[in-house]
């Protein structure tokens, strides 16, 4: 089944998804012009060992500290100086995480006929697609993604969540609840590092919303010429990222330099978003 057009699948889709483009053409020798980015910022290629590494925070130690201790101080520095950190001993079942990874792979391996039932509709950001926010004259990201709003449950897309395949839907249900609990714990400790009462950040966020985006980056014959996702900040308060493999692709900018992140096994990578920056403006 051929990938559907923009008009058929919704305004967010600019071109057929990259995964199907690669599958349809077999082993590509070059990147289609549409995806070539000609003004990519230089990134770190050498002297990796001499660079600072992303801070690592141990949640079990944070929970153990009754007063401001060394782990909370590390969290404070990570937020002030990086806005990113890796979180270990986070308490989320790795069996559940692995089930989510497997389910995500199976989701992207669905036939185009099955994917079409979960595609972005006109004017909607949820489902399969590209979430393109650039003009037709700008290069597209080398990514195919699935985006879905998960919590609170009464605000879910009524045509999308119930139609997710099993057991992925059940695992996603359990996962989003656990990740929300983890996010609240982290936010409370960020508040603690700032001298803010535990409920103050919770009250500021209100009920809050949670969404999950799954990014798929197919093999690329010219990786130096494309961007999986363009440079951006997250609009959320907190992003909790889990990587499906050990490929080093995520980069963050610090002091004008792009630094490649080496993900730790069984760790989450956390990023402070725009909402958190606004909330802590004048403190961080």
């Amino acid at each position: 089944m051929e990938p559907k057009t923009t008009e058929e699948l919704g305004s967010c889709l600019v071109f057929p998804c990259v995964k199907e483009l690669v599958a349809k053409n077999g082993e590509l020798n070059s990147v289609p012009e549409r995806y070539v980015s000609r003004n990519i910022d230089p990134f770190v290629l050498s002297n990796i060992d001499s660079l600072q590494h992303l801070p690592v925070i141990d949640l079990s130690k944070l929970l153990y500290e009754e007063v401001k201790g060394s782990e909370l101080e590390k969290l404070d520095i990570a937020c002030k100086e990086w806005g990113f950190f890796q979180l270990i001993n986070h308490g989320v079942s790795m069996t559940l995480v692995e089930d989510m990874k497997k389910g995500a792979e199976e989701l992207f391996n669905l036939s185009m006929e099955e994917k079409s039932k979960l595609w972005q509709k006109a004017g909607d950001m949820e489902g399969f697609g590209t979430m393109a926010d650039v003009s037709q004259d700008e290069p597209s990201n080398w990514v195919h993604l699935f985006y879905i709003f998960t919590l609170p449950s009464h605000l879910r897309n009524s045509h999308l969540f119930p139609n997710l395949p099993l057991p992925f839907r059940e695992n996603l249900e359990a996962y989003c609840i656990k990740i929300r609990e983890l996010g609240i714990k982290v936010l409370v400790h960020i508040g603690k590092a700032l001298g803010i009462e535990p409920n103050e950040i919770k009250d500021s966020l209100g009920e809050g919303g949670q969404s999950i985006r799954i990014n798929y980056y197919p093999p690329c014959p010219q990786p130096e010429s494309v961007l999986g996702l363009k440079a951006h900040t997250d609009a959320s308060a907190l992003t909790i990222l889990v990587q499906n493999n050990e490929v080093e692709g995520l980069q963050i900018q610090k002091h004008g330099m792009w630094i490649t992140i080496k993900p730790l096994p069984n760790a989450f990578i956390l990023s402070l978003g725009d909402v958190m920056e606004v909330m802590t403006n004048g403190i961080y």
Side-chain angles (χ1 to χ4, degrees):
M1 182 175 180
E2 292 290 328
K4 293 181 180 294
T5 65
T6 303
E7 291 73 24
E8 290 175 302
L9 291 177
S11 60
C12 290
L13 182 66
V14 178
F15 285 90
C17 69
V18 181
K19 185 177 188 302
E20 300 305 321
L21 176 68
V22 173
K24 180 180 178 181
N25 291 279
E27 185 175 345
L28 291 175
N29 294 318
S30 62
V31 172
E33 185 66 23
R34 173 64 200 175
Y35 299 94
V36 175
S37 295
R38 304 192 183 282
N39 298 306
I40 299 178
D41 287 342
F43 53 89
V44 177
L45 288 175
S46 60
N47 298 323
I48 297 296
D49 293 337
S50 68
L51 297 172
Q52 289 179 285
H53 295 287
L54 193 65
V56 178
I57 305 299
D58 188 329
L59 182 61
S60 66
K61 291 182 179 179
L62 276 179
L63 297 175
Y64 180 77
E65 293 177 346
E66 294 183 2
V67 295
K68 188 169 184 178
S70 60
E71 204 65 23
L72 193 63
E73 291 177 357
K74 284 174 58 179
L75 175 64
D76 191 31
I77 293 172
C79 293
K80 287 179 179 177
E81 298 185 1
W82 288 81
F84 284 84
F85 56 91
Q86 296 202 59
L87 190 70
I88 61 174
N89 296 324
H90 43 69
V92 178
S93 165
M94 292 313 300
T95 298
L96 178 58
V97 173
E98 291 302 318
D99 286 342
M100 277 294 295
K101 291 180 179 181
K102 180 180 178 181
E105 290 183 8
E106 292 174 349
L107 190 70
F108 278 93
N109 285 332
L110 290 173
S111 67
M112 283 303 296
E113 183 176 2
E114 290 298 314
K115 281 183 180 178
S116 67
K117 301 174 185 177
L118 303 171
W119 216 277
Q120 296 168 348
K121 295 184 180 298
D124 195 357
M125 295 174 63
E126 293 188 70
F128 279 110
T130 63
M131 288 180 67
D133 57 359
V134 297
S135 71
Q136 296 282 339
D137 297 328
E138 294 185 55
S140 295
N141 292 323
W142 188 261
V143 64
H144 184 38
L145 61 82
F146 180 82
Y147 175 80
I148 187 169
F149 187 87
T150 51
L151 290 175
S153 57
H154 65 271
L155 294 180
R156 289 174 182 167
N157 191 315
S158 59
H159 91 272
L160 191 60
F161 202 98
N163 290 322
L164 293 176
L166 294 172
F168 177 71
R169 184 172 76 238
E170 294 175 343
N171 290 329
L172 177 61
E173 183 81 69
Y175 180 78
C176 66
I177 293 173
K178 290 297 183 183
I179 292 299
R180 179 179 176 83
E181 293 173 353
L182 175 62
I184 291 173
K185 289 178 183 177
V186 171
L187 291 172
V188 166
H189 280 85
I190 290 175
K192 186 178 178 180
L194 295 170
I196 299 174
E197 291 297 321
N199 290 328
E200 192 169 336
I201 285 187
K202 291 182 184 179
D203 293 341
S204 298
L205 290 172
E207 185 177 26
Q210 181 200 71
S211 59
I212 289 180
R213 187 173 73 191
I214 307 173
N215 299 320
Y216 176 87
Y217 305 99
C220 179
Q222 297 173 285
E224 72 283 354
S225 300
V226 303
L227 289 172
L229 289 176
K230 295 178 178 65
H232 66 281
T233 59
D234 292 332
S236 61
L238 189 68
T239 297
I240 300 177
L241 172 68
V242 59
Q243 190 159 319
N244 191 40
N245 52 42
E246 301 303 316
V247 176
E248 297 175 14
L250 175 65
Q251 295 174 333
I252 65 171
Q253 191 177 59
K254 187 173 189 286
H255 301 318
M257 180 181 293
W258 288 102
I259 299 175
T260 299
I261 303 305
K262 183 177 179 60
L264 297 175
N266 302 332
F268 290 128
I269 298 173
L270 275 68
S271 166
L272 304 188
D274 297 338
V275 171
M276 180 61 69
E277 183 177 355
V278 171
M279 289 173 56
T280 58
N281 187 31
I283 302 177
Y284 277 150

